[in-house]
Amino acid sequence: MNKEQGMYSTWVTIDLDAIKNNVRYILDRSKVQVMAIVKANAYGHGAVPVAQAALEAGATWCGVARVGEALELRQAGLDCPILILGYTPEARYKEMIEHRVSMTVWNTKQAETISTAASQTGQGAKLHLKVDTGMSRLGVDPDNAIDLLETVSHLPGLQAEGLFTHFARADEVDPTPTISQEKLFRALMERLNAKGIEIPLIHAANSAASLTRSSAYFNCVRLGIAMYGLHPSPECPLPPDFRSALTWKSVLSQVKRLPPGRGISYGHEYITTKEEHIGTIPVGYADGFRRVPGNQVLLGERKVPVVGRVTMDQVMVQLDAVPDAKEGDEVVLLGTQGENSITTEEIAERWGTINYEVTSGIAHRVPRIFL
Ligand SMILES: *Cc1c(COP(=O)(O)O)cnc(C)c1O
């Protein structure tokens, strides 16, 4: 029995050595800077300890999605360069400049407003230009990127620190769409070179491209899902050297023997057909354990089915496969127990989603324990 058991109803353990191992793998192979993508509480893994582990392993940047995520890292004492990859509300520009957080821009109005904020704080602002080469999410059209860069370079208090783009289909077998995005990005870089414009940090690759497209490394890769030891997609699996970091556990709170004909949970969608052992586990949809049929968990190293509806804080399981199960036994919702495992990808399939959404959906109330 580990020490977390007995302390919590449900909890997550994070193997920080796995994070370090995965960062080192990409650093060793790519030989460029690694930006550790720790948005969304490090995909549910815990932003500050993951960022610290990634930096210890040699990552030089942290990438986040929100102002609050950048502040969380700064407040924990992290001094590394941080980039907000997406939108920063205007009202937060000054605060971000004061905290030396780099911001992403895609239009001249942003650049002008940030320049004003920079002059008010008396500090320079570092900007990364986002170019839309085909994701159609965020970024300046490549044809307008030079104008934007020239605006940035003429406005006081602004430094064009980075130029980047994002791939829409790097996790697929067919490289054609990624090749065409990379081509547009390179063509823009050539036009910049011709104008003598130099930008220190050029980045395009997400995890999938970091594993498969060395031509897209430039001088930095943005490492997200692979850092956590999770596959970018079924078509873009990780090499075996990667290790997954997250295990999600709970405990059996009650075990009971019910007669045939008993309805289980709200709506009685499951009804016992014989005398059955039914267990209760204190994890529910408010923890991020989805309210869908077909869930399974590991108990006594066997997969057992969740029966009846998932409730906010609890689920029931059918214990026929583990007749010796008793109150207080460890339950693994995601991870390995003895010889058996439930992978993030397996849960994603069951939930009709991707592994990214499974771990980033583990609720804040679930404690994270760092190993
Ligand atoms: C989330 C994100 C990444 C990381 O993507 P992975 O597929 O998890 O490696 C990289 N770049 C941007 C702009 C992102 O939003």
Side-chain angles (χ1 to χ4, degrees), residues 37 39 43 85 137 164 166 206-207 222-225 356:
I37 305 301
K39 61 191 179 189
Y43 295 34
L85 298 160
R137 185 169 69 175
F164 75 112
H166 191 52
N206 56 359
S207 294
R222 301 189 303 271
L223 190 64
I225 198 78
Y356 294 70

Side-chain angles (χ1 to χ4, degrees), residues 148-167:
L148 177 55
L149 258 171
E150 283 178 340
T151 305
V152 167
S153 59
H154 291 124
L155 284 167
L158 301 186
Q159 185 203 340
E161 180 184 42
L163 179 76
F164 75 112
T165 193
H166 191 52
F167 295 130

Side-chain angles (χ1 to χ4, degrees), residues 196-273:
I197 302 176
E198 277 207 23
I199 301 177
L201 205 70
I202 310 285
H203 46 111
N206 56 359
S207 294
S210 306
L211 292 165
T212 58
R213 284 200 70 74
S214 55
S215 60
Y217 290 169
F218 301 101
N219 57 9
C220 178
V221 296
R222 301 189 303 271
L223 190 64
I225 198 78
M227 177 168 68
Y228 305 102
L230 302 173
H231 303 285
S233 74
E235 289 180 30
C236 181
L238 292 172
D241 315 69
F242 283 78
R243 281 160 44 201
S244 66
L246 185 145
T247 301
W248 188 4
K249 291 183 181 178
S250 187
V251 64
L252 259 186
S253 55
Q254 189 181 4
V255 175
K256 52 201 166 277
R257 188 176 282 279
L258 295 179
R262 280 291 188 93
I264 310 282
S265 192
Y266 293 122
H268 284 179
E269 273 175 22
Y270 182 84
I271 296 172
T272 55
T273 55

